[in-house]
Amino acid sequence: GTSAYPTLCCLQRQEMATNGILTAASGAAPWFFISQGLFWTSHYASENLSRTYNKLDPAIQSYWCASAISSLHGAVISYWGFAAASTAGLWTTDDFFKTTSQTTGCCNVLVGYLCSDLALSLYYGGRWPGNTANIIHHITAILAFIQMSAWGFGHSLGMMIIVLETTTPFVNQRWFFEKTGMKVTHPALYVANGLAMVILWFLLRILLVGWVGIRLIAVREQVASMAWPQVLTVVCTYAVGYGLQFFWFYKILRGAIKALSKVSGKKLHSG
């Protein structure tokens, strides 16, 4: 009699959770294959259009293509996330559970792309630069956004996180400048890109992500109303993700200071 109801509720919750994940996974799957298709298309295009690409080690050729797709994805998804959240008024509400089909779609696109890039990162391992931190980032982001899509929570803050991808093309372009020799042949462009990268990283990935943490504290009662695995996901993925932003910012800042020191040294020497 009385013990059957809690068991039934538990089974229902498990079924709903499973169905939610399956729905989110099916929404992300097409974007996994689209990302893979773009990756291999980039290989073909680069092979026929770039002399620098053809001189690279095969693993770095794949990193080249993955970086190109990363820049494309970053530009598109950051705009989409910003537009979806702004149109729906997600950034003017305290409702942690407000979602739209557009914001859910953003989550699915991000998860599909990240799964594609994660598969490549795992395959190439240490042959790709900075891969360990990248793998940790992808796993935590996938865990967070697939649950946002599946169970409809945190979209207002999730779209803020998606806007961080605005910095991605600048980070990748710095690497392309170095590989193609444009760091030397076009130093002004290289410096301008580097400054934009540092400034945007600080504004978005340090200050904005800090603001996301403040907003999480403000809606903590709503967060606490979820099942404990979801609460754990929110807290842990935020902590790990924010920690990675500081780790990368330290490396970016150190590189920027080193580059500016070289420029200053050359000016003094020429003077």
Side-chain angles (χ1 to χ4, degrees):
T2 55
S3 62
Y5 180 70
T7 303
L8 179 61
C9 286
C10 182
L11 290 173
Q12 287 175 331
R13 285 196 297 269
Q14 290 176 353
E15 184 178 358
M16 288 175 65
T18 302
N19 289 339
I21 290 294
L22 290 175
T23 300
S26 65
W31 297 103
F32 172 89
F33 293 109
I34 289 170
S35 298
Q36 283 288 308
L38 289 171
F39 171 77
W40 292 107
T41 301
S42 179
H43 265 297
Y44 177 78
S46 299
E47 187 177 40
N48 288 279
L49 297 174
S50 173
R51 293 178 181 177
T52 303
Y53 169 88
N54 288 300
K55 296 176 183 177
L56 299 174
D57 177 83
I60 302 303
Q61 287 180 338
S62 289
Y63 187 81
W64 170 293
C65 296
S67 297
I69 304 311
S70 171
S71 293
L72 175 63
H73 168 265
V76 172
I77 198 70
S78 58
Y79 172 78
W80 187 2
F82 179 84
S86 299
T87 303
L90 258 66
W91 292 335
T92 57
T93 179
D94 290 328
D95 186 355
F96 189 66
F97 300 103
K98 184 174 181 179
T99 67
T100 71
S101 59
Q102 287 292 308
T103 57
T104 300
C106 281
C107 293
N108 291 340
V109 172
L110 183 64
V111 170
Y113 163 74
L114 288 174
C115 286
S116 171
D117 200 60
L118 176 62
L120 295 169
S121 296
L122 290 171
Y123 177 78
Y124 286 104
R127 289 175 289 173
W128 277 13
N131 211 9
T132 301
N134 193 55
I135 288 170
I136 294 170
H137 167 269
H138 283 16
I139 290 172
T140 55
I142 290 166
L143 285 173
F145 280 90
I146 197 168
Q147 291 189 56
M148 288 184 196
S149 174
W151 299 316
F153 66 82
H155 284 211
S156 58
L157 302 182
M159 294 307 105
M160 287 187 186
I161 298 300
I162 281 177
V163 169
L164 305 186
E165 291 301 314
T166 303
T167 63
T168 301
F170 295 95
V171 176
N172 290 330
Q173 192 56 47
R174 178 180 177 274
W175 185 83
F176 282 120
F177 276 146
E178 290 185 351
K179 286 299 176 184
T180 57
M182 290 182 69
K183 176 181 178 180
V184 175
T185 59
H186 295 76
L189 281 177
Y190 178 78
V191 171
N193 179 80
L195 288 173
M197 178 180 68
V198 172
I199 293 168
L200 284 173
W201 195 285
F202 177 70
L203 292 176
L204 297 179
R205 293 184 178 260
I206 302 300
L207 295 185
L208 183 60
V209 179
W211 173 249
V212 169
I214 293 171
R215 295 305 305 154
L216 273 175
I217 294 171
V219 297
R220 60 188 179 277
E221 291 183 1
Q222 295 179 62
V223 174
S225 71
M226 300 189 297
W228 71 264
Q230 295 166 12
V231 176
L232 193 63
T233 297
V234 170
V235 173
C236 291
T237 56
Y238 175 80
V240 172
Y242 201 19
L244 284 171
Q245 305 314 317
F246 276 98
F247 169 72
W248 282 320
F249 186 60
Y250 167 74
K251 295 182 71 174
I252 289 170
L253 201 58
R254 188 175 63 177
I257 292 170
K258 185 178 179 181
L260 289 172
S261 297
K262 286 183 178 179
V263 171
S264 300
K266 286 181 180 178
K267 286 183 177 179
L268 287 171
H269 184 71
S270 62

